[in-house]
Amino acid sequence: MRIALFITCVNDLMFPGTGRAVVRVLERLGHTVEFPAEQTCCGQMHANSGYRAEAMPLVRRFVDAFAGYDAVVGPSGSCVAMVRDSYPHLAEGDPGLAAAVSAVAPRTYELSELLVDVLGVTDVGARFPYRVTYHPTCHGLRMLRLGDRPLALLRAVGGIDLADLPGAAECCGFGGTFAVKNAGVSGAMLADKCAAIAATGAQYVAAVDNSCLAHIGGGLSRGAGGGARPIHYAEILASEGAQ
Amino acid sequence: MTTVDRGSGHIVTPLPFPRYAARELGDAQLRTNLRRATHTIRDKRLRVVGEVPEWEALRWAGAATKDDALARLPALLEQFEAAATARGATVHWARDATEASAIVTDLVRSTGTTEVVKVKSMVTQEIRLNETLAEAGIAAVETDLAELIVQLADDAPSHILVPAIHYNRGQIRDIFRARMAGVDPDLGDAPAALAEAARRHLRAKFLTAKVGISGANFAIAETGTLVVVESEGNGRMCLTLPETLISVVGIEKLLPRFADLDVFLQLLPRSSTGERMNPYTSLWTGVTPGDGPQNVHIVLLDNGRTATLADPHGREALRCIRCSACLNVCPVYERVGGHAYGSVYPGPIGAIISPQLAGQDAGFNRSLPYASTLCGACFDACPVRIDIPRILVHLRQSGVDAKRGRPSAERTAMRALSFLMRDRRRYAAALRAARRGAAPLRLGRRRDTLRRLPWPLSAWTTSRDAPLPPGETFREWWSRERA
Amino acid sequence: MNARDEILSRIRRALTAAPPATAAPATAAPAGAVSGAALVGAGAAGSGDVIALLADRLVDYKANVRHCPAGSVGSVVGELLAGATAVATPPDIPADWLSAWTGTVLRDGAPEPLTVARLDAPGVAALTGCAVAIAETGTLILDTGPVQGRRVLTLVPDHHICVVPASRVVAGVPAGFAALPDPSRPITLVSGPSATSDIELDRVEGVHGPRRLDVVIVVDAQ
Ligand code: SF4
């Protein structure tokens, strides 16, 4: 099976450790991961901020870069949702592009979908002896409908102490450019999320998206959240002991 | 692109959403009240929706019925008009808010009365009917409890279903004590006592009113029937006791068949008040001799609905049955309340319907589609499956497209980013530059975050720290380790 | 152009410029979900399960429920009317429903229609039947048909007693609507006494409509 890593631009620059973790998990399970170097950005920020014309070349570039793989895996719920849910709408009216999108989009998976649904694994052989709470990001929850998959993977991690997050399904307030355009509301939502995290007494808050985690982490590092630190769940799955 | 005829009235926000939001965020009492109310109703809704195993099928059926009605709207409107007229109603048509208010005002004037009783209706607020009536010397008495509270407080509604949601019981008691004529000065704040006070206050008005004014939740083309869904019985009073009944009905309220009500009367109460069924639903068809108003008028209103229908990517918003489920689950609404949206339609539906009815160029309507994190909770809750996040993004795109000619820092940045990301080498170089550019910021730091960024990114660091890029990008690692 | 023609032509223009997709993915329902009719509310009309469900739902929304055989309606109604000053009824009320009531009977339209002021007098209760009752939602449907009378009868008095023969109880909303003989009559759906959710979005019973709703379910009626 040819698996391509869709790193996403934010992870490429800001969170390379998450990409390395995905590679480590898949290799530990005996798979080979390829990294199509032509990839850049999926265009989510452009499209969601209203810049459709600016997003379109990036859509084209994505479907070219990832054509021909059996599976494309991305460690980001929102970027995978962009490809799977929004690309078909953006490609409407361009039959060539629509065909390319329909070839790639359905085979683009968030990491937990690839592991649980395609590869049929929940125990990836990880060990992470800490108290962890899991925030299901909005795109993961309501667009990709990841459901219980990330939690099922986390539950199988050796030594982990998983704590339920109160009001887990509530948005953290990130929302891409919303965090800047409506900074006040975003901050109010963040404060509530950090308080919920603090209530769990967790050492780490895990999620499927580093952009939400950067926002949450930015609130946690100001002292909210009771000392919890943000971590992408792929890094927990890659872990083999104490950090 | 042909021009479309936009609506007018209370569907234009006079200030940008973030300005209003900043004001509302400062009100701690408001936030406590909203949090309490929205969380109460969320739990109730989930419980009663959970009782219906066919819920998802009902949502699909609701969406399909509305889409079918919109696709056949001219024929259905003509059918409705013919059926209602045959049963003794008089049907009027109004292109916009001004025309509709004028029609209603003339009808009231011709009865000679100077006071009308009103059933709670969004559309009469949309067309600013009370203001127009007041100019003509006619007092409009709101009879729904929450509308009455807002009217007595001289305030504006902040929710589709519960316009006084921003007040708690203590505040409502204070408003009643200060403003309600003849109220018990020792009135307490128990909800039952407050409801009793409203009953006494309005009783005489109901029993003597000559004219009732309503909207309608549904209009049935097949039979010419109008439907009003309510709780308190104030609706029944207004629809039954006066001699004259005037109903203002948006043209998107049409349903093809009487049997279609099955689906909507299952979807609406569970989605709005979280009840299996609301206490009272009234259906009437024209005039019934000897029973109820003998003088029945219906005003069919466009006011931007046809403009909304003209946009194939946004027209789905016309399915809306104004249940308010999307407001109740919205994390943004929960923090700022309805006044921040500057229109009678707040929350997620307001963010997509005001800019479509009145246009994005009206007031600061262009700011409304950005009042969302796109978290998707509204779409999940919507009983007629309006994909609000998708329409929000669509409106952001059409709003940006409409302003393409004019310079903007944001567009310059978006263009530059798009240019960089279209080419691997440019992109890789930009990543290297970003990482190196950040390197001096790391010197001597123990933390991987920044507390303050320069404008415009300072908006990010007002409420959270910013992460710093690490020493190596992923693709640098890959080419070093694997390539 | 007058408003009517202009609005109709605006709609036609909007629909011709961008015709609605007949089966757009956005509205294509999954198989079996095309019509909501008969989706909700299985269970035979008048069966024990359906009656029990109706009673449960009525009580949940603060109505009082009594069960009785056909022969005892009069005595049950008599008990429920204790303390009333008068009972208002439609003209065709069955005589045996009032067999135990010795007070004033206000018969609407016999010969004159009752005035609103008369109905609003303290202590007046209304006694009617109904067209159909929906178990799943605890709803009584009144359509001004037999033994129901005008709408004002069940609106102005503060106390409404509704007698429901078991055979008129259906399981779900679609069956309830299907049982109505004439949609163009004035129709009122009543689910519990009047209530409001306007204070902190929590339900309180008792506003403008009748604050007391008694439902007498006649168990062996056909
Ligand atoms: S958009 Fe949907 S959820 Fe919101 S008020 Fe309308 S029908 Fe209800």
Side-chain angles (χ1 to χ4, degrees), chain A residues 30 58 67 96 102 105 115 117 137 179 188 193 198 208 236:
Chain A
L58 304 178
S102 65
L115 291 171
D117 300 348
T137 64
K193 185 56 78 180
V208 301
I236 296 179

Side-chain angles (χ1 to χ4, degrees), chain B residues 160 320-326 349 381-384 386 388:
Chain B
I160 292 179
C320 177
I321 55 174
R322 309 279 189 260
C323 71
S324 75
C326 59
I349 182 61
C382 178
V384 285
I386 300 173
I388 296 176

Side-chain angles (χ1 to χ4, degrees), chain C residues 37-65:
Chain C
L39 281 174
V40 173
S47 70
D49 288 353
V50 167
I51 301 296
L53 185 61
L54 174 68
D56 177 75
R57 296 292 152 91
L58 283 165
V59 169
D60 195 24
Y61 283 164
K62 307 292 190 290
N64 307 308
V65 177

Side-chain angles (χ1 to χ4, degrees), chain A residues 152-243:
Chain A
L153 290 162
L154 287 173
R155 267 186 222 114
V157 169
I160 200 167
D161 173 15
L162 265 181
D164 281 343
L165 179 64
E170 276 188 47
C171 179
C172 68
F174 170 59
T177 49
F178 178 84
V180 175
K181 281 182 192 282
N182 279 288
V185 189
S186 173
M189 293 163 68
L190 174 61
D192 291 345
K193 185 56 78 180
C194 288
I197 293 167
T200 65
Q203 293 158 285
Y204 289 92
V205 53
V208 301
D209 231 308
N210 274 323
S211 39
C212 300
L213 281 171
H215 164 79
I216 294 172
L220 296 178
S221 85
R222 291 197 174 175
R229 296 175 54 188
I231 186 169
H232 193 286
Y233 84 122
E235 294 173 36
I236 296 179
L237 299 182
S239 169
E240 283 161 9
Q243 292 274 297

Side-chain angles (χ1 to χ4, degrees), chain C residues 18-167:
Chain C
T22 31
T27 53
V34 179
S35 162
L39 281 174
V40 173
S47 70
D49 288 353
V50 167
I51 301 296
L53 185 61
L54 174 68
D56 177 75
R57 296 292 152 91
L58 283 165
V59 169
D60 195 24
Y61 283 164
K62 307 292 190 290
N64 307 308
V65 177
R66 298 283 299 265
H67 296 80
C68 74
S72 321
V73 173
S75 61
V76 172
V77 167
E79 288 167 30
L80 294 171
L81 281 172
T85 56
V87 58
T89 74
D92 52 347
I93 197 87
D96 59 324
W97 289 10
L98 288 168
S99 56
W101 171 250
T102 51
T104 311
V105 177
L106 306 171
R107 224 173 277 264
D108 189 36
E112 289 299 307
L114 295 170
T115 64
V116 169
R118 189 73 192 86
L119 290 168
D120 194 42
V124 175
L127 174 65
T128 71
C130 73
V132 59
I134 300 169
E136 192 174 56
T137 55
T139 301
L140 312 170
I141 305 188
L142 306 169
D143 73 351
T144 72
V147 207
Q148 296 163 63
R150 297 186 300 145
R151 285 176 285 177
V152 70
L153 268 186
T154 55
L155 173 62
V156 175
D158 204 15
H159 178 192
H160 177 199
I161 302 170
C162 186
V163 179
V164 182
S167 59

Side-chain angles (χ1 to χ4, degrees), chain B residues 36 67 196 275 302 315, chain C residues 10 18 27 200 203 207 211:
Chain B
R36 151 99 73 75
D67 286 353
E196 165 81 27
E275 293 166 307
D302 178 355
R315 60 167 61 130
Chain C
R10 285 175 184 178
T27 53
E200 298 172 6
R203 181 173 163 130
V207 204
R211 288 180 286 187

